[in-house]
C-alpha cells in the first residue's frame, strides 16, 4: 500500500455567515505545520460496582474536542481572511490600490477550514474561531503566522482536494521599515505580534459539541521586539519603560509592487524591558509592548494595501 507523505499539505478557508454552518472554502493557504484534530473524549465509569479484580466495567463518551494549531506563511494578498477572523472586522477604501484596515470588534467571525492532509485525504472543520494569532518575522526570514483555533466539529475524512493558490507575494524581512515609538526609530532584529482573544469552549448539557466559543477575559495585543542597542538611543527605551510612556508604535512592510502591510499598536506602553550583558559582543535589548484602546482608536490595526477589492480574497 502507498505511504502517505506530508508534501502537498495546505488549508482552504471560507468565512461562515452563521457559526457552525459550513460554507465553500475558496482561500487556499500554504502552511508550515497543521495539527487540527477532532477528538472524542472517553471516560471510565466511576461506579463502585467493578469486577473482582477492581477494574472499571464501563465507559462513556465525554465532550468532542475540535481544534489545534496552524502555522502559515503571510502574504500581502491572501492572508486577509485570517486577519479579519483574528481581529473581528475590516473596512475597505480606495479603488485599486485598495486599503483594507483590520481592527478589533466584539464579535469574531468563524471559518470553515478544509485541511488537505499531505498526499492523503482531506477533512473539513466547521465553526472555527481563532483564539490567538501571532505574526513573526526576523532578519533573514519570511513572515509567518501561528494561530490557535477552536472548532465545533469536523466532517468525515474524504477524498483529497486540489489547491488553487493566489498570486499574492510573501511578506519578507527586507521589506520592513524602521520601527517607530514616541518619535524615535529603531532597527529591529525580530518582532512578534500576538493577538489573544481569550476564547474558551462552552460545553453545555445536551450535546457533546462545544457551543459557540466566547471571550472569557480581557482581550490583549502585545508586540515583542529585539534590537541592537545603538548609542544614539541607548537609554531612550529604558527610560520610557520606567516612566510608562504611552504612544503609538508601528512598523511597515512594502514590496516592489507597492503592496503595503502596516502593523500599528495604539496607546502602547512597555510592559517589560531587558538589556542584560553576557558576552563581549554586541548588546541586544528585548522589550514587550501592549496596545490599549480609547474612545478614538482601537488597541491595534493591521492595514494592508493591495490590488484586491475583497479584504478576504484568495
Amino acid at each position: 500500500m502507498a505511504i502517505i507523505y506530508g508534501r502537498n499539505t495546505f488549508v482552504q478557508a471560507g468565512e461562515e455567515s452563521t457559526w457552525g454552518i459550513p460554507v465553500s472554502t475558496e482561500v487556499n493557504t500554504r502552511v508550515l505545520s497543521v495539527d487540527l484534530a477532532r477528538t472524542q473524549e472517553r471516560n471510565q465509569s466511576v461506579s463502585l460496582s467493578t469486577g473482582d479484580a477492581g477494574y472499571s466495567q464501563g465507559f462513556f463518551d465525554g465532550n468532542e474536542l475540535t481544534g489545534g494549531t496552524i502555522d502559515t506563511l503571510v502574504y500581502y494578498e491572501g492572508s486577509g481572511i485570517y486577519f479579519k477572523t483574528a481581529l473581528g472586522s475590516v473596512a475597505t477604501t480606495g479603488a485599486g490600490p485598495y486599503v483594507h484596515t483590520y481592527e478589533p470588534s466584539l464579535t469574531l467571525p468563524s471559518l470553515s477550514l478544509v485541511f488537505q492532509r499531505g498526499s492523503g485525504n482531506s477533512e473539513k472543520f466547521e465553526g472555527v474561531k481563532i483564539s490567538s494569532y501571532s505574526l513573526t518575522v526576523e532578519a533573514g526570514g519570511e513572515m509567518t503566522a501561528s494561530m490557535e483555533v477552536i472548532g465545533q466539529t469536523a466532517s468525515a475524512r474524504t477524498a483529497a482536494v486540489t489547491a488553487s493558490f493566489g498570486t499574492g507575494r510573501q511578506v519578507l524581512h527586507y521589506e520592513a521599515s524602521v520601527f517607530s515609538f514616541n518619535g524615535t526609530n529603531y532597527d529591529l532584529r525580530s518582532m512578534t505580534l500576538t493577538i489573544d482573544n481569550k476564547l474558551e469552549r462552552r460545553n453545555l448539557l445536551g450535546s457533546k459539541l462545544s457551543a459557540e466559543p466566547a471571550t472569557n477575559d480581557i482581550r490583549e495585543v502585545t508586540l515583542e521586539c529585539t534590537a541592537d542597542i545603538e548609542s544614539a538611543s541607548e537609554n531612550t527605551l529604558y527610560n520610557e519603560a520606567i516612566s510608562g510612556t504611552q504612544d503609538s508604535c508601528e512598523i511597515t512592510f512594502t514590496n516592489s509592487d507597492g503592496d503595503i502591510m502596516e502593523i500599528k499598536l495604539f496607546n502602547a506602553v512597555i510592559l517589560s524591558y531587558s538589556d542584560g550583558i553576557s558576552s563581549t559582543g554586541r548588546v541586544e535589548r528585548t522589550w514587550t509592548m501592549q496596545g490599549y484602546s480609547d474612545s478614538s482608536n482601537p488597541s491595534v490595526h493591521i492595514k494592508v494595501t493591495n490590488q484586491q477589492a475583497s479584504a478576504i480574497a484568495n
Side-chain angles (χ1 to χ4, degrees), residues 60-263:
F60 64 94
D61 285 353
N63 295 313
E64 182 180 303
L65 306 179
T66 301
T69 304
I70 308 171
D71 295 333
T72 74
L73 298 174
V74 179
Y75 295 82
Y76 292 96
E77 297 177 347
S79 295
I81 192 169
Y82 303 108
F83 299 157
K84 182 182 179 184
T85 308
L87 286 170
S89 68
V90 62
T92 298
T93 59
Y98 299 91
V99 180
H100 313 289
T101 304
Y102 304 86
E103 294 184 346
S105 70
L106 184 60
T107 302
L108 295 173
S110 63
L111 301 174
S112 293
L113 283 178
V114 172
F115 173 19
Q116 173 56 41
R117 304 178 56 81
S119 61
N121 50 30
S122 65
E123 189 172 11
K124 189 168 190 175
F125 293 81
E126 306 162 6
V128 176
K129 290 198 171 190
I130 296 178
S131 179
S132 66
Y133 186 82
S134 63
L135 295 173
T136 300
V137 63
E138 61 182 20
E142 52 196 354
M143 183 179 285
T144 62
S146 181
M147 62 191 93
E148 292 281 345
V149 303
I150 298 174
Q152 182 192 38
T153 189
S155 58
R157 294 181 179 181
T158 187
V161 294
T162 302
S164 178
F165 296 113
T167 58
R169 291 172 54 181
Q170 287 179 251
V171 182
L172 300 171
H173 67 105
Y174 59 81
E175 297 167 340
S177 68
V178 295
F179 171 83
S180 65
F181 175 64
N182 197 34
T184 304
N185 294 332
Y186 303 91
D187 293 309
L188 299 185
R189 297 182 62 84
S190 65
M191 54 149 279
T192 298
L193 174 78
T194 300
I195 299 162
D196 188 352
N197 289 322
K198 305 295 178 69
L199 285 185
E200 291 186 357
R201 290 182 171 86
R202 294 194 303 125
N203 295 314
L204 308 176
L205 294 177
S207 176
K208 293 190 291 186
L209 306 181
S210 171
E212 184 172 0
T215 298
N216 203 34
D217 203 344
I218 296 175
R219 296 165 66 186
E220 296 176 346
V221 57
T222 57
L223 183 67
E224 182 177 352
C225 304
T226 299
D228 295 336
I229 296 184
E230 300 177 10
S231 58
S233 60
E234 179 179 357
N235 295 315
T236 304
L237 271 176
Y238 173 75
N239 292 332
E240 290 168 342
I242 296 297
S243 64
T245 300
Q246 269 193 297
D247 198 12
S248 296
C249 66
E250 62 185 277
I251 187 169
T252 301
F253 297 80
T254 307
N255 69 17
S256 57
D257 290 339
D259 297 328
I260 303 169
M261 178 183 294
E262 175 189 283
I263 298 172

